[in-house]
């Protein structure tokens, strides 16, 4: 490890340097642990086995909690869910690079990202950058295919093909300890400097708050192999620097479990470099930058009356500002300098009631108003008003659970100049069912059908270079049939959990962006058939001598084909960037406060163009991570220390064509709670 001070800290790290620094952190804690009073008798300790993860939901679901983030070497939400079955992360590389998620081949626009139950909406491009969602204040992340199992939800929660639910940390304090302060820092490759502070405070028996703040700064440079088919050369990826700050705070009130209120505020500010595509025999463009200044305020109220009526009210305001600069754009000006600002005003109200002990019904209504402005000549300044109404019901009949919902979506759009899309009024039904056919409650069969759609985004409709107001909504029929099995065991293995789901998605009027040299075009593609299989296995074992092992395995098969025109040259071709086979597993061994984990993901070959030609081929790749985690006590304070190696075997690969991913990199982190 070399450190040089010259006005600011500059450093270069080696593998030995990382572990040397980790040893420095651990040394005082090790001494404290060694100086124990052995004159007292040890109290009897009762060891109980771990319970199997909860997997028996009416809709296919996968979860990960904050306990396991370090196990998966996860630094953001995209990292945390990349091993989920059916998930395909599109990663443009670099520490500040864009990261979006596609579930079961449907694309990033078909997944709704909920932040404490309220959707993060982007009317401009319909996608949420999961790379900028850090994990510092996250308690749990869950992915649901279809929709959430709980029918008391905002109507928006019924309006997407899949739901990614992010639940943040809530204050859990008592009068004896009215506050908790957590300080943490990460450093590592790419010049990473990432400090973080969390403050939880109990104000009274009913009121509490939590404030999170973090800074992320990195130069983003990394080496990659440039292969032109004849020669291989080592190049350095530049222009992917990041300087980001985020402040997130929430105020909570709870009279009891039947009456709760929260007020949430979040501000994100970033300056990110965009390195551009690597094209053979042509240096990537330099100097591209993206600035974000995003703010949202949201409030929620949840109340259960003595009569059994349950209400849920949510409100939200958001303002997203994006500034893009490209100094080498081929135009008369010689550069591109664009600003976009979008606002959203959102209100939701939902109510549920148990007509019988086994029969619950709910109704929800949402109203949202989205508008966008830009500094582009001739921009149309669109305003979209969306009204959603949904009626849902859950009925339990013995070992069978039935759930159905009917969503009505009413979209009205207006523009300052030019034409816009017609008014839309669409009904979307969903039917779900589970049955436990045997006395063994651990086995369950489940299935669902869902008809859903998405309206074209503002960029797809009005962006100057690709304007197409004739675009139609993209409709999707989803079918799923699967089973789950979960059992607690008493032998070597403490539990076993198994899930398997086969699915079929039929997409009509799929919206596809086709790039060309400078601008590109967007149009309705036609029909797409997606057939797939998701399977997952989780287990935990006691190995003896205080050692425990955990294992998680996920496999996905996706055949996503164009079925528009049997006479077309691209008929039955695999859709771009969708691998047919994905395999991921994580294994770890723990003893006391120390855990060692290994994580691996394998993707089969893909094509980055509809033609599926040899020149469109992206080879398969396998990428591995390893980490060492210590969770213990240092001078009576809880600490967590970790050292991670990402891309352990230094593989050269691309997730997106012409955007090489980093080779081997390192990261260490330290966290202490006061």
């Amino acid at each position: 490890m070399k450190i040089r001070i010259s006005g600011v800290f500059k450093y270069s790290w080696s593998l030995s340097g990382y572990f040397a620094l980790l040893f420095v952190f651990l040394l005082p804690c090790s001494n404290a642990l060694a100086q124990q009073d052995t004159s007292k008798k040890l109290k009897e300790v009762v060891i109980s086995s771990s319970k199997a993860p909860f997997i028996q939901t009416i809709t296919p679901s996968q979860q990960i909690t904050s306990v396991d983030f370090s196990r998966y070497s996860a630094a953001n939400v995209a990292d945390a869910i990349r091993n989920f079955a059916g998930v395909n992360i599109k990663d443009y590389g670099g520490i500040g690079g864009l990261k979006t998620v596609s579930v079961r081949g449907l694309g990033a626009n078909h997944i709704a990202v909920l932040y404490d139950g309220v959707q993060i909406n982007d009317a401009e491009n319909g996608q949420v950058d999961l790379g900028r969602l850090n994990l510092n204040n996250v308690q749990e992340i869950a992915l649901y295919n279809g929709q959430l199992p709980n029918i008391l939800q905002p109507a928006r929660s019924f309006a997407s093909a899949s739901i990614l639910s992010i639940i943040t940390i809530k204050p859990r304090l008592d009068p004896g300890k009215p506050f908790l302060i957590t300080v943490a820092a990460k450093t590592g490759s790419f010049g990473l400097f990432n400090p973080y502070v969390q403050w939880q405070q109990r104000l009274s028996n009913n009121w509490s708050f939590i404030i999170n703040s973090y800074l992320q700064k990195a130069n983003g440079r990394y080496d990659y192999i440039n292969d032109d088919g004849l020669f291989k050369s080592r190049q350095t990826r530049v222009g992917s620097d990041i300087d980001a700050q985020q402040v997130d705070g929430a105020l909570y009130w709870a009279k009891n479990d039947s009456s709760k209120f929260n007020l949430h505020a979040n501000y994100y500010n970033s300056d990110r470099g965009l390195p551009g595509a690597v094209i053979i025999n042509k240096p990537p463009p330099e100097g591209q930058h993206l600035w974000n200044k995003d703010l949202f305020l949201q409030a929620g109220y949840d109340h259960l009356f003595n009569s059994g009526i349950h209400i849920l009210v949510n409100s939200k305001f958001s303002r997203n500002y994006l500034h893009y600069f490209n100094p080498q754009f081929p135009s008369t000006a010689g550069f591109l300098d664009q600003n976009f600002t979008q606002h959203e005003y959102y209100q939701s109200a939902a109510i549920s009631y148990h007509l019988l002990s086994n029969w619950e019904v709910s109704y929800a209504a949402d109203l949202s108003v989205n508008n966008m402005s830009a500094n582009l000549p001739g921009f149309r300044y669109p305003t979209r008003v969306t009204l959603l109404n949904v009626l849902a019901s859950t009925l339990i009949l013995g070992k069978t659970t039935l759930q159905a919902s009917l969503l009505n979506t009413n979209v009205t759009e207006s523009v300052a100049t030019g034409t816009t899309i017609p008014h839309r009024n669409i009904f979307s039904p969903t039917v779900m069912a589970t049955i436990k056919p045997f006395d063994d409650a651990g086995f369950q069969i489940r299935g669902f059908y869902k008809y859903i759609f998405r309206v074209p985004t503002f960029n797809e409709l009005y962006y100057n270079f690709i304007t197409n107001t004739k675009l139609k909504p993209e409709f999707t029929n989803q079918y799923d049939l699967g089973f789950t099995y979960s059992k607690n065991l008493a032998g070597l293995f403490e539990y076993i959990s198994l899930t398997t789901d086969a699915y079929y998605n039929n997409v009509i009027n799929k919206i596809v962006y086709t790039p060309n040299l400078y601008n590109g075009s967007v149009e309705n593609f036609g029909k797409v058939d997606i057939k797939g299989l998701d399977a997952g296995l989780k287990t935990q074992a006691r190995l003896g001598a205080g050692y425990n092992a955990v294992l998680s395995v996920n496999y996905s098969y996706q055949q996503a084909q164009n079925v528009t025109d049997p006479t077309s040259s691209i008929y039955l071709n695999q859709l771009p960037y969708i691998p047919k086979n994905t395999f991921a597993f994580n294994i770890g061994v723990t003893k006391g406060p120390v855990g060692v984990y290994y994580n691996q993901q394998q993707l089969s070959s893909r094509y980055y163009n509809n033609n599926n030609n040899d020149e469109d081929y992206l080879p398969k790749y396998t990428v591995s991570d390893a980490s060492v985690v210590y969770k213990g006590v240092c001078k009576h304070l809880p600490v967590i220390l970790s050292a991670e190696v990402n891309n352990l075997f230094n593989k050269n690969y691309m997730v997106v064509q012409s955007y090489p991913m980093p080779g081997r990199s390192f990261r260490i982190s330290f966290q202490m709670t006061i």
Side-chain angles (χ1 to χ4, degrees), residues 30 58 97 129 173 223 232 251 436 490 544 581 659:
S30 301
I58 195 169
D129 183 1
L173 304 168
D223 292 339
K232 294 182 179 180
L251 179 67
K436 296 180 179 179
N581 297 281
Y659 286 84

Side-chain angles (χ1 to χ4, degrees), residues 2 14 43 49 54 71 74 127 208 246 282 309 333 363 391 429 518 546 574 596:
K2 302 175 182 178
S14 65
K43 295 183 179 180
S49 62
F54 180 69
R71 171 184 163 191
Q127 303 178 8
S208 61
Q246 187 173 40
K282 181 180 179 182
I309 295 175
Y363 169 74
L391 184 65
Y518 298 124
Q574 184 83 350
V596 180

Side-chain angles (χ1 to χ4, degrees), residues 101-119:
V101 60
S102 172
V103 178
R104 293 186 170 183
L106 292 176
N109 297 87
H110 278 281
I111 183 168
V113 179
L114 304 186
Y115 195 84
D116 283 337
V118 181
Q119 184 175 344

Side-chain angles (χ1 to χ4, degrees), residues 389-419:
N389 291 270
V390 63
L391 184 65
S393 178
T394 299
L395 179 64
I396 301 175
L397 298 173
K399 297 181 179 180
T400 301
T401 301
L402 304 172
Q403 188 178 110
S405 64
L406 181 63
L407 171 71
N408 174 246
T409 305
N410 191 297
V411 181
T412 304
E413 200 143 317
S414 62
V415 292
T417 60
T419 59

Side-chain angles (χ1 to χ4, degrees), residues 241-291:
D241 53 296
I242 183 171
D243 186 356
Q245 310 87 39
Q246 187 173 40
V247 178
D248 181 278
L251 179 67
Y252 295 95
W253 174 84
K255 187 175 181 180
N256 46 52
D257 288 339
S258 63
S259 190
K260 301 175 183 178
F261 168 80
N262 70 84
L263 177 63
H264 212 122
N266 184 288
Y267 178 72
Y268 175 82
N269 177 65
S270 71
D271 176 1
R272 291 185 283 175
L274 300 178
V278 175
I279 302 174
I280 302 300
N281 300 322
K282 181 180 179 182
E286 296 183 9
Q288 295 186 65
H289 261 264
L290 191 70
W291 292 267

Side-chain angles (χ1 to χ4, degrees), residues 94 190-191 219-227 232-241 274-279 282-286 652 658-663:
F190 322 119
N219 59 43
R221 297 189 187 97
Y222 59 89
D223 292 339
Y224 68 96
I225 302 298
N226 189 19
D227 187 355
K232 294 182 179 180
S233 61
R234 182 173 296 276
Q235 305 288 336
T236 299
R237 193 78 159 133
V238 296
S240 58
D241 53 296
L274 300 178
V278 175
I279 302 174
K282 181 180 179 182
E286 296 183 9
N652 187 51
S658 301
Y659 286 84
M661 297 293 290

Side-chain angles (χ1 to χ4, degrees), residues 552-568:
S552 174
V553 180
N554 284 319
Y555 169 76
S556 298
Y557 172 80
Q558 294 184 55
Q559 179 181 281
Q561 296 177 313
N562 175 352
V563 294
T564 303
D565 181 6
T567 64
S568 171

Side-chain angles (χ1 to χ4, degrees), residues 613-651:
N613 295 329
D614 291 343
E615 56 267 27
D616 305 326
Y617 181 82
L618 281 172
K620 64 181 180 180
Y621 68 83
T622 300
V623 62
S624 304
D625 306 317
S627 61
V628 179
V629 182
Y630 170 83
K631 297 181 180 181
V633 177
C634 181
K635 299 186 183 299
H636 308 293
L637 297 175
V639 297
I640 300 176
L641 303 167
S642 67
E644 303 169 11
V645 185
N646 298 306
N647 195 354
L648 180 64
F649 301 109
N650 202 29
K651 295 294 184 179

